[in-house]
Amino acid sequence: MQRRPPTHWAWQVRLLHWLGVLLILAVAGIGLVMVDLERGTDLRKTLYALHKSLGITVLGMAALRVLVRLSTRAPAPLDGPAWQLRLARASHASLYVLMIAVPLSGWLLNSVAGQPLPWFGMVDLPALAAKNADLRKPADTAHVVLFWTLAGLVCVHAAAALHHHWMRGDATLRRMLPPPARRAG
Ligand code: HEM
Ligand code: HEM
């Protein structure tokens, strides 16, 4: 017998979604600030190291998220025209791709720049490519363009979620939040 689909996203999906939001915001904020700091200062070095370590954490979490998503049951799609459902699916898939492509491009940039990558000073990650001064600029551009594409899509995604919540009054946002506590008795 077919079980009814759950009313909410699995707690692991919800936890990784909101942890991911916080982490990506922090990594992006640090990235935007650090590039404007004076070269050679301790603060700049610390923020670069933090940006890279947290960015690699985003990459690991995104991989975990794909596994968790594939191994848990999703709630049933809410009512709406087919084109809207297709658009939502396509934008979610693009968010997954960008969540992986942005940190990977950062890792590639770090590699062609010949910089080491000690994840929180604990694990030395290997370079993805050999040091190459000619590739530094294109890798930098790729990282920045992919980042702004992610930022743009996240804005549309968050606006769509809030539109569903406030204008349409449906369960789209509620089911990505913890279910209401059951009353005792
Ligand atoms: C979710 C993950 C990431 C996000 C959202 C992100 C975002 C950013 C942003 C907004 C900037 C500033 C761009 C600018 O205005 O020039 C930046 C720069 C940079 N990022 Fe990332 N990044 C991520 C992951 C990584 C990772 C994993 C690495 C390396 C392992 C990395 C390495 C760098 C480097 C080296 C720069 C500085 C480029 C320069 O000095 O011109 N990033 N990143
Ligand atoms: C860095 C920012 C964000 C990223 C990368 C992101 C990514 C994603 C992804 C990939 C999904 C698809 C889940 C799946 O099908 O597996 C999703 C779903 C969702 N996100 Fe986000 N999200 C972000 C920010 C936000 C914000 C700020 C909100 C709310 C204002 C939000 C609300 C939602 C909701 C409600 C869903 C479920 C949609 C549905 O049931 O069809 N997200 N998010």
Side-chain angles (χ1 to χ4, degrees):
M1 198 177 76
Q2 185 69 41
R3 278 183 299 152
R4 263 194 295 158
T7 56
H8 284 69
W9 289 94
W11 68 265
Q12 300 92 326
V13 172
R14 284 179 275 133
L15 182 69
L16 287 172
H17 179 272
W18 295 112
L19 267 182
V21 173
L22 290 181
L23 210 57
I24 291 171
L25 279 181
V27 178
I30 294 170
L32 292 172
V33 169
M34 72 187 190
V35 287
D36 286 335
L37 294 174
E38 201 184 317
R39 281 175 194 278
T41 57
D42 283 349
L43 180 60
R44 182 172 159 119
K45 284 181 196 152
T46 306
L47 289 188
Y48 263 70
L50 195 59
H51 176 82
K52 294 178 199 177
S53 292
L54 289 175
I56 291 293
T57 311
V58 170
L59 182 62
M61 266 179 56
L64 178 66
R65 214 169 141 174
V66 171
L67 292 179
V68 163
R69 174 66 171 86
L70 293 176
S71 58
T72 52
R73 298 175 73 218
L78 293 164
D79 286 342
W83 66 265
Q84 232 174 54
L85 205 68
R86 274 201 298 274
L87 200 65
R89 285 222 180 98
S91 67
H92 292 162
S94 310
L95 284 169
Y96 277 120
V97 170
L98 286 164
M99 242 189 295
I100 290 171
V102 172
L104 262 188
S105 63
W107 191 348
L108 187 67
L109 163 61
N110 199 65
S111 307
V112 298
Q115 295 293 322
L117 187 49
W119 184 72
F120 290 110
M122 291 186 295
V123 185
D124 278 319
L125 294 169
L128 294 181
K131 183 175 177 178
N132 185 338
D134 294 340
L135 289 182
R136 207 196 165 289
K137 188 73 203 140
D140 193 347
T141 308
H143 189 51
V144 176
V145 168
L146 284 168
F147 163 70
W148 284 110
T149 310
L150 173 66
L153 194 55
V154 162
C155 289
V156 176
H157 170 72
L162 295 176
H163 172 82
H164 274 278
H165 191 67
W166 283 324
M167 316 296 232
R168 306 249 298 255
D170 68 23
T172 304
L173 182 57
R174 278 199 302 276
R175 63 194 200 160
M176 195 39 109
L177 297 169
R182 285 214 195 101
R183 292 221 196 118

